Amino acid sequence: MGKSTPFPTRRLVDFVIGGTQKGGTTALDAYLREHPEICMAEKNEAYFSTEHPEISTAGQKEVHFFDNEAYFFNGKPDYSNYQRRFNPEKSHKVLGEATPIYMYWNDSPRRILEYNPKMKFIILLRDPIERAYSHWNMERIRNADSLSFWDAIKNEKDRCREALPLQHRVYSYISRGLYTEQLHRLWTYFPKDRVLCLKSEDLKEGLDETLSRICEFLRVSKFNCVVSKNVHSLPYESSLTEQESDYLRRIFEPDIVQLEKELNWNCSGWLLARRGTL
């Protein structure tokens, strides 16, 4: 593999919010932008739709460098394409960005290691059943998927084959919620003490404590005062059906049980029967 192209500034990005999509990463990005010692990536203002401003808010924050095959096709990534998204001031102690597909994209952890072996990861994990439905709802709203949720999850494997050997960015409703394999891949390249895993619901139910944990992880001062945010909340046309919920619970249950063991979490709420939710 050839050497990477040099970039102007030697100040490396210190952390990424690497997942999961529809897990609260846009809200967390918004909170961290208000911290005086944290420099988040500049937003891509070109990524805007007057028709779907809520979706634009999420997309603008994302950098999508380490999942962009065009940057790595010859084995010589030009990191200046990445660095130019950051404009740190003297007061900024750490640089970070939020691109939630990184934990799902197979080659991203290795590429990130090659860029900065000391990178830290913040991973927000949401109830995978709710995550899948929220993901599909977003794709429905932006006209990226015309199938019903039931048809989409029943046919996911066949539909995702069109992206092989890569992962499918749109139809991956179930596969993105199988967290343990993604975490194991991440831990292959980075020690566990550099990967902070949090439940998405903690941002809502224990905001101050969660942000304090993140600040301690990043080694910056704690927030003085935080106002709760409701970011990137999209309307639902219909509710998750009992049939859909039961189908997904059978798929996700083994992975959730394994995740509980890996992270010493109690995820029993993710496995509760539900009907007419979301």
Side-chain angles (χ1 to χ4, degrees):
M1 181 176 293
K3 293 183 178 180
S4 303
T5 303
F7 43 93
T9 175
R10 300 308 303 175
R11 189 169 181 182
L12 299 177
V13 176
D14 301 283
F15 74 94
V16 295
I17 303 171
T20 182
Q21 183 196 48
K22 306 304 297 178
T25 60
T26 301
L28 180 55
D29 174 87
Y31 287 122
L32 296 186
R33 285 181 186 277
E34 296 180 351
H35 195 290
E37 298 174 5
I38 298 176
C39 172
M40 298 299 290
E42 293 185 349
K43 291 187 176 182
N44 180 7
E45 300 298 339
Y47 190 99
F48 185 77
S49 167
T50 55
E51 186 177 359
H52 303 302
E54 305 93 341
I55 297 175
S56 297
T57 299
Q60 285 177 337
K61 76 177 188 301
E62 299 172 10
V63 179
H64 287 287
F65 183 82
F66 297 103
D67 62 306
N68 189 328
E69 299 305 304
Y71 290 142
F72 294 87
F73 77 98
N74 65 353
K76 300 178 181 179
D78 181 357
Y79 291 126
S80 65
N81 290 314
Y82 188 52
Q83 297 293 135
R84 66 169 55 104
R85 289 290 295 271
F86 301 88
N87 188 25
E89 299 177 358
K90 290 183 179 180
S91 61
H92 291 141
K93 293 183 178 180
V94 294
L95 281 62
E97 60 120 328
T99 304
I101 200 173
Y102 286 162
M103 73 174 288
Y104 177 66
W105 204 255
N106 288 350
D107 287 333
S108 286
R110 175 183 54 78
R111 291 168 175 173
I112 293 172
L113 177 76
E114 292 169 355
Y115 165 74
N116 181 7
K118 296 182 179 180
M119 186 75 84
K120 292 183 178 181
F121 291 79
I122 300 173
I123 304 295
L124 291 170
L125 299 179
R126 181 181 182 182
D127 175 340
I129 297 175
E130 292 184 357
R131 196 222 69 81
Y133 192 67
S134 180
H135 179 179
W136 167 82
N137 185 60
M138 178 184 69
E139 304 299 357
R140 174 190 65 81
I141 288 175
R142 64 183 185 185
N143 298 316
D145 196 345
S146 60
L147 292 189
S148 68
F149 184 57
W150 177 247
D151 288 338
I153 58 178
K154 290 287 287 185
N155 294 284
E156 177 173 326
K157 286 186 177 181
D158 289 337
R159 300 175 86 201
C160 284
R161 286 194 181 101
E162 69 182 40
L164 292 175
L166 302 176
Q167 298 74 63
H168 206 292
R169 295 179 183 271
V170 177
Y171 303 148
S172 45
Y173 308 117
I174 294 174
S175 58
R176 289 202 198 213
L178 296 169
Y179 299 136
T180 55
E181 179 183 352
Q182 298 172 59
L183 288 176
H184 285 166
R185 181 168 57 244
L186 192 54
W187 292 333
T188 297
Y189 295 98
F190 294 89
K192 290 185 178 182
D193 63 2
R194 304 199 76 82
V195 182
L196 178 63
C197 295
L198 303 164
K199 288 184 179 179
S200 298
E201 52 260 42
D202 291 344
L203 271 183
K204 295 182 179 180
E205 300 169 4
L207 177 61
D208 290 338
E209 180 182 351
T210 300
L211 290 179
S212 292
R213 287 186 63 190
I214 291 171
C215 288
E216 182 178 358
F217 177 66
L218 297 178
R219 296 186 177 182
V220 296
S221 61
K222 293 184 178 181
F223 282 88
N224 290 325
C225 182
V226 181
V227 178
S228 181
K229 301 179 184 293
N230 183 20
V231 180
H232 195 205
S233 180
L234 299 174
Y236 287 91
E237 187 177 71
S238 58
S239 298
L240 184 71
T241 68
E242 186 175 4
Q243 179 190 39
E244 294 161 348
S245 174
D246 289 346
Y247 176 77
L248 290 175
R249 189 169 64 253
R250 289 193 296 271
I251 292 174
F252 286 128
E253 183 169 8
D255 193 71
I256 291 173
V257 171
Q258 182 63 29
L259 187 73
E260 289 181 314
K261 295 178 181 178
E262 298 274 5
L263 299 178
N264 194 27
W265 281 6
N266 179 357
C267 300
S268 57
W270 294 0
L271 294 171
L272 295 176
R274 68 197 85 187
R275 69 174 66 179
T277 60
L278 295 178

